[in-house]
Amino acid sequence: MAINKAVSIDTAFQAMMKGLQARSRSWETEQAGSEEKVDYECSECKDRGVVIYRIHKDTELRLRKEHKPLDSLSLDEMVLEDDYLAGKVCTPDKAREWKTTYSKQCECVKQKKIAKLMAASGITEKFEQLLFGNFKLDGKPQMIKDAYECAVEYFKDFEKIKGERANSIALLGQPGSGKTHLLTAIMNNLIKKKSTHCLYFPYVEGMSDLKNDFDQLETKLNAMRKADVLFIDDLFKPVDGKPRATEWQVEQIQSVVNYRYLNHKPLLISSELTTDDLLDVDEALGSRIYQMCKYYTVIIQGNRMELNHRLGDWD
């Protein structure tokens, strides 16, 4: 009786699989003959965001013996659910051997998230190309190499330090020395490798934008306060040798930095000013930046012909 029941179940399962495969072939035929074929953004998951695989019973048994999870399998040890249903994997009588399914988030989901984060970051396509790998070090002074090593070390340490008070980095001093390149490389890596919400704020253009769009001032300042990582580029950039630091400008930057200081939210700071210069602009603000960046600060000073990439023959 038990044998007849098992045979009956197997027969029913095979019949079901034949039906599914027939419908799958019919659908493929219709799609092939249709003038309006479905155009998926992602051919891998067909815009479902999830890829479903089937795993053979012998593979599953091996994993159990080795005490390994399903996600330890490589793609060549699984078959696509769509191929399975289309009859490309096995005949209906062998279908039960592939009954175990495994779902995996499609890579396109991560890529779409990265694209959104990049679009929201405020950096240009040109800046998106600034990476550690294309920062030129050959023939550069040790001070530039120190800045590079500090930036790389900061990125490597980020997950460990991001919730601490001293969780930020400042590259200060000589214009044209690669400060923006290195900090943008950190930002690009945080977005692409850690899916971190970063915001780029170029000080000169950014402050003008805040002043010219006063109705949106608080909204934009809040965005700067709340971003997971904020990059302020060229903070208080000097004009005629004096920092661009009006009372209003200092007040806005202070409100952002103070919020991030109290809530342990990382800052990336580039400036032509030194730590002492920042303290002279506003000691309360400068001391907060110092405390947040004290383990990752490089001040680049010396011969401008050697330190300023734009003045040397490096290309």
Side-chain angles (χ1 to χ4, degrees):
M1 191 73 177
I3 294 174
N4 289 337
K5 186 175 181 181
V7 171
S8 175
I9 292 173
D10 281 343
T11 303
F13 189 82
Q14 291 176 28
M16 179 187 73
M17 286 304 304
K18 286 180 179 178
L20 286 172
Q21 290 171 3
R23 273 186 283 175
S24 178
R25 285 191 292 271
S26 174
W27 181 85
E28 288 178 347
T29 302
E30 288 176 10
Q31 290 297 308
S34 172
E35 294 182 0
E36 298 182 6
K37 292 185 179 181
V38 178
D39 186 18
Y40 295 110
E41 288 184 25
C42 177
S43 58
E44 186 71 19
C45 70
K46 297 182 173 59
D47 298 343
R48 291 174 294 200
V50 174
V51 182
I52 303 174
Y53 298 93
R54 290 277 176 159
I55 300 169
H56 192 267
K57 66 175 185 178
D58 292 344
T59 303
E60 185 180 9
L61 182 61
R62 175 175 61 80
L63 286 179
R64 287 178 182 173
K65 289 180 178 179
E66 296 173 355
H67 303 290
K68 292 181 179 180
L70 291 179
D71 59 12
S72 66
L73 289 173
S74 60
L75 293 182
D76 60 359
E77 295 178 285
M78 302 180 280
V79 298
L80 289 170
E81 168 93 336
D82 289 345
D83 289 345
Y84 169 77
L85 294 177
K88 298 177 182 179
V89 174
C90 64
T91 55
D93 60 303
K94 300 290 185 182
R96 287 180 66 83
E97 297 178 8
W98 296 87
K99 67 178 182 179
T100 300
T101 60
Y102 171 67
S103 300
K104 180 181 177 182
Q105 185 182 74
C106 186
E107 182 65 20
C108 73
V109 175
K110 180 181 177 182
Q111 294 305 318
K112 286 176 182 177
K113 183 178 181 181
I114 289 173
K116 287 180 180 178
L117 288 171
M118 194 61 72
S121 70
I123 67 171
T124 63
E125 288 185 13
K126 184 177 180 181
F127 270 32
E128 192 177 342
Q129 306 308 312
L130 299 179
L131 305 169
F132 292 129
N134 55 26
F135 186 82
K136 295 183 179 179
L137 286 171
D138 291 345
K140 294 292 183 72
Q142 186 59 44
M143 208 171 291
I144 302 298
K145 295 177 181 178
D146 289 344
Y148 172 84
E149 289 169 5
C150 180
V152 171
E153 183 180 2
Y154 176 82
F155 173 69
K156 289 179 178 178
D157 293 345
F158 182 78
E159 288 298 326
K160 180 175 62 178
I161 66 169
K162 65 181 181 180
E164 299 177 4
R165 172 60 47 80
N167 59 7
S168 303
I169 180 172
L171 301 182
L172 310 173
Q174 177 66 49
S177 56
K179 303 186 300 296
T180 296
H181 184 137
L182 290 173
L183 295 180
T184 304
I186 292 173
M187 190 170 163
N188 280 326
N189 275 282
L190 288 175
I191 292 173
K192 294 178 180 179
K193 295 182 180 179
K194 300 184 183 296
S195 296
T196 303
H197 174 210
C198 300
L199 183 63
Y200 174 69
F201 183 79
Y203 178 76
V204 175
E205 298 89 342
M207 294 308 295
S208 295
D209 178 61
L210 291 178
K211 202 165 189 177
N212 293 335
D213 193 8
F214 203 77
D215 289 343
Q216 294 297 312
L217 175 63
E218 197 56 30
T219 299
K220 292 180 178 181
L221 289 176
N222 266 329
M224 294 171 66
R225 295 181 187 116
K226 300 292 179 66
D228 292 340
V229 174
L230 175 65
F231 175 14
I232 303 179
D233 193 17
D234 264 338
L235 177 62
F236 301 136
K237 182 175 177 64
V239 57
D240 297 329
K242 296 180 180 180
R244 298 185 210 218
T246 65
E247 184 177 342
W248 183 82
Q249 289 172 325
V250 172
E251 182 181 337
Q252 308 318 310
I253 294 297
Q254 170 78 301
S255 74
V256 170
V257 171
N258 191 54
Y259 179 92
R260 301 188 70 84
Y261 173 85
L262 293 174
N263 290 277
H264 294 197
K265 298 180 80 66
L267 278 169
L268 314 180
I269 299 282
S270 80
S271 179
E272 293 176 23
L273 306 186
T274 65
T275 302
D276 285 340
D277 294 333
L278 291 173
L279 290 168
D280 288 341
V281 169
D282 186 279
E283 189 164 337
L285 172 61
S287 61
R288 280 170 171 75
I289 292 174
Y290 168 78
Q291 192 173 7
M292 294 174 75
C293 304
K294 64 181 179 180
Y295 297 131
Y296 303 91
T297 294
V298 177
I299 300 175
I300 304 169
Q301 291 179 310
N303 186 339
R304 71 175 65 177
M305 299 305 295
E306 294 180 355
L307 296 173
N308 190 328
H309 182 86
R310 293 187 285 269
L311 297 177
D313 186 19
W314 307 106
D315 296 323

